[in-house]
Amino acid sequence: MSKPYTEAHFSAQIIEDRNWRIKEISDLKAAIRRGDEGVQRVLLRALVAICYAHWEGYIRFSAKKYLEHIALRRFQYGDLNRQFFRNYFLPRLAALSTTKANIADRCDLVDQILNSADVRFTRVNDDLINTKANLNFEVLTDICLVCGLPAEIFVEKSTFIDVMLLKRRNAIAHGENTLVDLNELDEITIETIGLMRTFGDALENHVVLQTYKVI
């Protein structure tokens, strides 16, 4: 896949990625409706796992493409929203917290922070977009922060994310006999697709309006 050099490239790539995920969810939903009771029971459990997988996969893919798009434009950190400057130093701060760094090392980091406004953002640190294989609302909030998105847009869906998707997915993945009711079919699929659209649309708005830059 080509790099998202332009706004159009970025939008096309995250929409294409979302569309194939939506199609797979929709195809499975149709198969469930056609199946008999026994088949439905199995496929409904599979649906939860698939919906969670696409939810996590899309968040990771689109967030990284967003940061990559901005990195390709090679802005100085002084021209970008302060969160990008924070992101630049988060890995260093994490490393210092796990080592016995001396005062000189800590002072060096402070000096870098004070003198890096003219450094250019050219590389995405993949560790910053970490779903931890358990994309609950708390982890999503961290990813939103890294991307400069308001996590508040997902608050009303936090229970769905944590319980309907993640908790059930974990139970099913660990071999528990968790039942999913046919009456929940629409909620699971519609809400999952809606969450992906909300995240993708928010990133697209940032790109189109260039709200990632200092006003």
Side-chain angles (χ1 to χ4, degrees):
M1 179 177 288
S2 62
K3 294 182 177 180
Y5 287 103
T6 67
E7 295 174 9
H9 289 153
F10 168 73
S11 294
Q13 288 179 15
I14 69 167
I15 290 172
E16 179 183 0
D17 185 79
R18 187 171 65 217
N19 284 347
W20 80 263
R21 297 178 188 280
I22 291 174
K23 184 178 187 306
E24 189 164 283
I25 291 171
S26 299
D27 288 346
L28 183 53
K29 180 178 180 178
I32 291 171
R33 292 202 183 281
R34 291 193 303 266
D36 60 31
E37 185 176 346
V39 169
Q40 287 179 342
R41 180 181 180 279
V42 174
L43 293 184
L44 281 164
R45 285 164 51 82
L47 178 71
V48 172
I50 287 291
C51 282
Y52 173 81
H54 284 318
W55 158 240
E56 179 181 322
Y58 183 70
I59 296 302
R60 183 170 55 245
F61 177 88
S62 57
K64 287 183 177 181
K65 282 294 178 181
Y66 169 70
L67 295 179
E68 183 183 3
H69 167 72
I70 300 171
L72 287 168
R73 307 193 71 182
R74 302 178 63 84
F75 288 110
Q76 292 182 337
Y77 281 102
D79 296 326
L80 293 170
N81 182 288
R82 183 173 291 183
Q83 186 58 45
F84 287 90
F85 197 44
R86 297 187 187 112
N87 293 345
Y88 181 53
F89 288 99
L90 284 176
R92 287 286 306 277
L93 289 170
L96 282 180
S97 67
T98 58
T99 62
K100 295 182 179 179
N102 57 34
I103 294 296
D105 290 335
R106 296 174 188 273
C107 288
D108 178 61
L109 178 59
V110 172
D111 286 341
Q112 287 188 47
I113 293 173
L114 294 173
N115 299 319
S116 295
D118 59 348
V119 172
R120 295 188 181 277
F121 174 41
T122 60
R123 186 180 67 84
V124 178
N125 188 319
D126 289 339
D127 292 340
L128 290 174
I129 306 299
N130 185 1
T131 60
K132 303 179 181 179
N134 280 282
L135 185 54
N136 58 22
F137 179 71
E138 182 179 355
V139 174
L140 176 65
T141 298
D142 287 344
I143 293 175
C144 285
L145 179 60
V146 167
C147 293
L149 300 181
E152 291 78 13
I153 60 179
F154 294 102
V155 168
E156 292 185 356
K157 305 299 180 183
S158 60
T159 299
F160 176 82
I161 293 169
D162 289 352
V163 179
M164 293 290 285
L165 278 184
L166 180 58
K167 185 176 180 179
R168 279 183 163 183
R169 169 263 195 179
N170 286 345
I172 291 168
H174 294 153
E176 296 179 18
N177 188 25
T178 299
L179 298 179
V180 181
D181 195 279
L182 183 61
N183 292 331
E184 297 174 300
L185 177 60
D186 285 337
E187 179 184 6
I188 294 170
T189 54
I190 292 172
E191 294 290 355
T192 300
I193 292 171
L195 286 169
M196 291 192 291
R197 290 190 188 280
T198 297
F199 191 82
D201 289 349
L203 292 179
E204 281 196 88
N205 286 338
H206 266 334
V207 168
V208 172
L209 300 176
Q210 296 190 2
T211 46
Y212 53 79
K213 295 172 65 177
V214 173
I215 300 175

